[in-house]
Amino acid sequence: MMFRRLALIGTGLIGGSLALALRERGEVGEVVGYSRRLDTRLAAERLGLIDRPADSIAEAVAGADLVFVATPVKAMDAVLGELAACLPGDALVTDGGSVKGAVVERARAHLSAGQLARFVPGHPIAGRERSGPEAATADLYRGHRVILTPIEENRAEDVARIEAMWQATGARIERLEVAHHDHVLAATSHLPHAAAYAMVSALARLAERYEVFRYAAGGFRDFTRIASSDPVMWRDICLDNRDEILVMLDHYRAELDCLRDMLESADGEKIEHYFHEAKAVRDALYPVAQANGANPVSEADETGR
Amino acid sequence: MMFRRLALIGTGLIGGSLALALRERGEVGEVVGYSRRLDTRLAAERLGLIDRPADSIAEAVAGADLVFVATPVKAMDAVLGELAACLPGDALVTDGGSVKGAVVERARAHLSAGQLARFVPGHPIAGRERSGPEAATADLYRGHRVILTPIEENRAEDVARIEAMWQATGARIERLEVAHHDHVLAATSHLPHAAAYAMVSALARLAERYEVFRYAAGGFRDFTRIASSDPVMWRDICLDNRDEILVMLDHYRAELDCLRDMLESADGEKIEHYFHEAKAVRDALYPVAQANGANPVSEADETGR
Ligand SMILES: NC(=O)c1ccc[n+]([C@@H]2O[C@H](COP(=O)([O-])OP(=O)(O)OC[C@H]3O[C@@H](n4cnc5c(N)ncnc54)[C@H](OP(=O)(O)O)[C@@H]3O)[C@@H](O)[C@H]2O)c1
Ligand SMILES: NC(=O)c1ccc[n+]([C@@H]2O[C@H](COP(=O)([O-])OP(=O)(O)OC[C@H]3O[C@@H](n4cnc5c(N)ncnc54)[C@H](OP(=O)(O)O)[C@@H]3O)[C@@H](O)[C@H]2O)c1
């Protein structure tokens, strides 16, 4: 057993799934959970994500040797502030936030030097559109990547323990620099989410929206699936990784402008070349999916946040 | 048996799948196929999509009572031109092109009044990223929509026969005005495809493209899947439905600009509201997918072109 007692701060999809996975593998003794609303705590208990609900962060972390923070990233400011006042001396802390720079900044602002050393930031690249305790599953992380972004204050053995913890869930662990994480994720996850919300909005504003959506088929469904994600979580991600997302959004808008120009001038050759290049990149990216019609990793609902 | 002999002009995904479906249901006696390249004709024969290959359009349609044109839409100009010279007097003609206005224009330009009356334009809203004869399947159309866009010259009984033909494949038939089809499809299919190509291009241009794609997870995969579609087919669609696509592209760019402004000014409330509205529309759109995690129709690879 890796940990005696896990305290979940945030008992939704990401927190609940970690608890289920660790418990299934016998890697955790007891799970105590805190979330803002009583309902959410009780649901987490009823669903067996946690052994018992706590009425405060202090109550949740008392006696814990592992604390997992899995609230939306903005809320981590208050959570880390409270944790600073009540964290047991030997507890390791990690989180599942989709942005790392802003979370680390908050940790530096609130935690003592000793506490900061034991805070190993992380981000599981697994998720789904549905959220809340009901959406949690024991195999959410199996076969998916978890990115750890250790900070210089971390001790190697603490990072290794968090890594082993994630490995127990079946995830593949990678390490990235904090800023690099935010840069890469802006491109592969944050920009596509913003684009999907904007696409649905564009169609929703058409006068014939009902009819338009009636003819929207599978390609559109997949393309816009991520626009069903939690608005609060994505508001927070946008605000916390604003600079990187703005840069990527501008790259994307430049591509659309360029495609618009080719269309405007009806330049078939350029359009075909443009599509051809994109297809080549996309096909190289998912060769398994191309060959077999299905990508093993994709069977799970990996939304790559 | 509905038809004695089907002539396929274009023996790829869309043409081959229709032939397989009709044959499986015993609704067609013989299938003769023509495509531009000999290789494609021979592959279609080897794969059992057609009974025999023809060396010309004239040879293919001789003795046919149904002609299905399933080439990229620009190529239909030449195909319809040739058909005008060799179409048997009693043959019905339909097509599977993703744009209808430009195809109908071509038909009007080439066909005689009598031929035009027997040309019933259509568009199956089913497809996949892979194309060519190898991608054809007998159940491609099952449970999917086929939009017919009859023209005023058509006789009601001919439209009914084409409708019955598609029904035999398991498709659900709808009728739309030609222009209305192109307007609706620009929004639900053509714009998303353009946006997916642009998204992949934006990421491909990053200096760290290899690494970026390495962390691209399932959400990104689904989001960009349609960028693996055939560049020639999509070039043709873009050129043929240019005006409608330009309008939709401008709507979409306006949404992205609006989202950019909210981000720039870090307006959390507006961002959350924006995401919330889009999510509400998206969730209303796919209630089954929401409730069950899977939409029956979506099991097939419906890309909605
Ligand atoms: N969903 C994904 O696909 C995904 C993937 C990777 C990473 N992440 C990250 O994981 C984190 C959690 O996401 P999730 O999908 O698990 O969301 P979720 O299912 O909505 O769970 C969030 C949890 O945080 C609690 N919470 C919210 N505000 C709080 C506050 N101020 N104080 C204490 N608890 C609070 C919620 O409880 P109440 O109901 O009581 O508010 C809920 O238990 C986010 O940082 C997100 O960026 C998500
Ligand atoms: N793919 C989809 O998801 C989808 C969905 C709905 C509608 N459509 C429409 O269906 C049509 C066919 O698409 P598809 O996916 O079946 O494409 P495909 O698999 O590439 O098949 C196209 C066929 O047309 C032939 N062809 C190309 N140019 C030709 C020409 N100038 N003269 C004669 N034959 C020619 C090709 O033969 P060669 O190999 O010899 O060139 C091939 O047999 C297009 O109009 C498309 O817009 C496609």
Side-chain angles (χ1 to χ4, degrees):
Chain A
M1 183 175 304
M2 288 181 184
F3 295 98
R4 198 173 59 239
R5 186 182 294 170
L6 164 64
L8 284 188
I9 312 300
T11 58
L13 168 70
I14 295 298
S17 294
L18 179 66
L20 285 176
L22 291 181
R23 208 206 302 255
E24 192 181 77
R25 292 283 304 259
E27 296 294 7
V28 70
E30 193 189 9
V31 182
V32 184
Y34 172 78
S35 62
R36 193 178 35 174
R37 293 181 303 127
L38 180 60
D39 270 8
T40 306
R41 282 174 253 162
L42 295 180
E45 185 186 22
R46 194 181 61 242
L47 293 159
L49 311 181
I50 60 176
D51 295 303
R52 63 182 171 84
D55 287 334
S56 67
I57 291 182
E59 188 190 325
V61 302
D65 51 352
L66 177 64
V67 177
F68 185 54
V69 183
T71 65
V73 282
K74 281 268 171 212
M76 290 187 192
D77 194 38
V79 169
L80 289 163
E82 286 197 51
L83 276 182
C86 62
L87 201 63
D90 63 339
L92 276 183
V93 183
T94 187
D95 78 308
S98 305
V99 176
K100 299 272 54 88
V103 169
V104 168
E105 255 176 53
R106 285 174 193 132
R108 286 195 200 286
H110 292 296
L111 303 182
S112 70
Q115 291 170 332
L116 192 61
R118 295 197 308 281
F119 175 63
V120 181
H123 175 204
I125 310 294
R128 46 198 304 200
E129 280 58 65
R130 291 171 54 214
S131 56
E134 299 76 16
T137 60
D139 62 357
L140 184 67
Y141 304 116
R142 190 178 311 281
H144 290 235
R145 281 178 214 272
V146 170
I147 302 177
L148 296 185
T149 60
I151 52 177
E152 53 180 9
E153 290 86 346
N154 294 152
R155 296 188 314 161
E157 63 241 62
D158 289 340
V159 179
R161 285 186 71 199
I162 296 298
E163 191 163 302
M165 181 275 282
W166 278 114
Q167 262 153 5
T169 70
R172 293 172 295 148
I173 323 304
E174 312 248 1
R175 295 187 191 192
L176 283 186
E177 300 261 324
V178 169
H180 198 61
H181 167 280
D182 289 356
H183 176 64
V184 168
L185 270 288
T188 56
S189 171
H190 309 170
L191 172 66
H193 276 82
Y197 282 119
M199 173 73 62
V200 172
S201 301
L203 268 63
R205 269 183 240 297
L206 295 176
E208 54 285 87
R209 55 183 277 178
Y210 294 107
E211 202 191 352
V212 159
F213 283 120
R214 185 152 163 251
Y215 291 101
F220 181 77
R221 193 201 54 245
D222 288 348
F223 191 81
T224 59
R225 186 171 56 91
I226 52 185
S228 282
S229 304
D230 184 49
V232 170
M233 168 178 152
W234 279 98
R235 174 203 66 194
D236 282 10
I237 292 171
C238 283
L239 293 174
D240 271 1
N241 203 23
R242 194 165 69 104
D243 294 346
E244 292 286 357
I245 299 173
L246 279 172
V247 169
M248 278 310 306
L249 205 45
D250 288 343
H251 285 319
Y252 182 47
R253 288 157 79 237
E255 292 298 327
L256 289 170
D257 290 353
C258 156
L259 187 51
R260 194 196 188 288
D261 288 346
M262 292 183 239
L263 252 179
E264 181 87 63
S265 56
D267 191 333
E269 213 169 306
K270 271 203 195 146
I271 294 174
E272 183 183 343
H273 179 75
Y274 188 84
F275 290 172
H276 188 82
E277 297 279 288
K279 175 179 166 57
V281 169
R282 178 59 176 63
D283 288 352
L285 180 56
Y286 295 112
V288 183
Q290 276 306 108
N292 302 343
N295 182 332
V297 175
S298 80
E299 305 286 319
D301 204 349
E302 182 177 39
T303 56
R305 284 147 194 170
Chain B
M1 183 174 304
M2 289 179 184
F3 295 98
R4 197 173 60 239
R5 184 182 296 171
L6 164 64
L8 284 190
I9 311 300
T11 59
L13 169 70
I14 294 299
S17 295
L18 179 67
L20 285 178
L22 290 181
R23 207 202 305 249
E24 192 181 78
R25 292 284 304 259
E27 297 295 7
V28 70
E30 192 190 9
V31 182
V32 184
Y34 171 78
S35 59
R36 192 178 35 174
R37 294 181 303 128
L38 179 61
D39 270 8
T40 305
R41 281 173 253 163
L42 294 182
E45 186 186 22
R46 193 180 63 242
L47 291 160
L49 311 181
I50 59 176
D51 295 301
R52 62 182 172 83
D55 288 333
S56 67
I57 291 182
E59 186 189 328
V61 302
D65 51 352
L66 177 64
V67 177
F68 184 53
V69 183
T71 65
V73 282
K74 282 267 172 215
M76 290 186 191
D77 193 38
V79 169
L80 288 163
E82 287 196 50
L83 275 181
C86 61
L87 200 63
D90 63 340
L92 276 182
V93 184
T94 186
D95 78 307
S98 304
V99 176
K100 299 273 54 89
V103 169
V104 168
E105 254 176 53
R106 286 175 191 131
R108 285 194 201 286
H110 292 294
L111 302 181
S112 71
Q115 291 170 332
L116 192 62
R118 294 196 310 280
F119 173 62
V120 181
H123 175 204
I125 310 294
R128 45 197 305 199
E129 280 60 62
R130 291 171 52 215
S131 57
E134 298 77 15
T137 60
D139 62 356
L140 183 69
Y141 303 117
R142 190 178 311 281
H144 290 236
R145 280 177 214 273
V146 170
I147 303 177
L148 295 184
T149 60
I151 52 176
E152 54 180 8
E153 289 86 346
N154 292 151
R155 294 189 316 161
E157 63 242 60
D158 289 339
V159 178
R161 284 185 73 198
I162 296 298
E163 190 163 303
M165 181 275 282
W166 277 113
Q167 261 152 4
T169 70
R172 292 171 295 147
I173 322 304
E174 312 249 359
R175 296 188 191 191
L176 283 186
E177 300 262 324
V178 169
H180 198 60
H181 167 280
D182 289 355
H183 176 64
V184 168
L185 270 287
T188 56
S189 171
H190 309 170
L191 172 66
H193 277 81
Y197 282 119
M199 172 73 61
V200 172
S201 302
L203 268 64
R205 270 182 239 298
L206 296 177
E208 55 285 88
R209 57 184 274 180
Y210 294 107
E211 202 191 353
V212 159
F213 283 120
R214 183 150 163 252
Y215 290 101
F220 182 78
R221 193 201 54 244
D222 288 349
F223 191 81
T224 59
R225 184 170 58 90
I226 51 185
S228 282
S229 303
D230 184 49
V232 170
M233 167 178 153
W234 281 98
R235 173 203 67 193
D236 281 10
I237 292 172
C238 282
L239 294 173
D240 270 1
N241 203 21
R242 193 165 71 104
D243 294 346
E244 292 286 358
I245 299 173
L246 279 172
V247 169
M248 277 311 305
L249 204 46
D250 288 344
H251 285 319
Y252 182 47
R253 288 157 80 237
E255 293 297 326
L256 289 170
D257 289 353
C258 157
L259 188 51
R260 196 198 187 285
D261 288 346
M262 291 183 237
L263 253 179
E264 181 86 64
S265 57
D267 191 333
E269 212 168 308
K270 271 203 195 146
I271 293 173
E272 182 183 340
H273 179 75
Y274 188 85
F275 290 173
H276 187 84
E277 297 279 289
K279 175 178 165 58
V281 169
R282 178 59 175 66
D283 288 352
L285 180 56
Y286 295 112
V288 183
Q290 275 307 106
N292 303 343
N295 183 332
V297 176
S298 79
E299 306 286 318
D301 204 350
E302 183 177 38
T303 55
R305 287 149 194 167

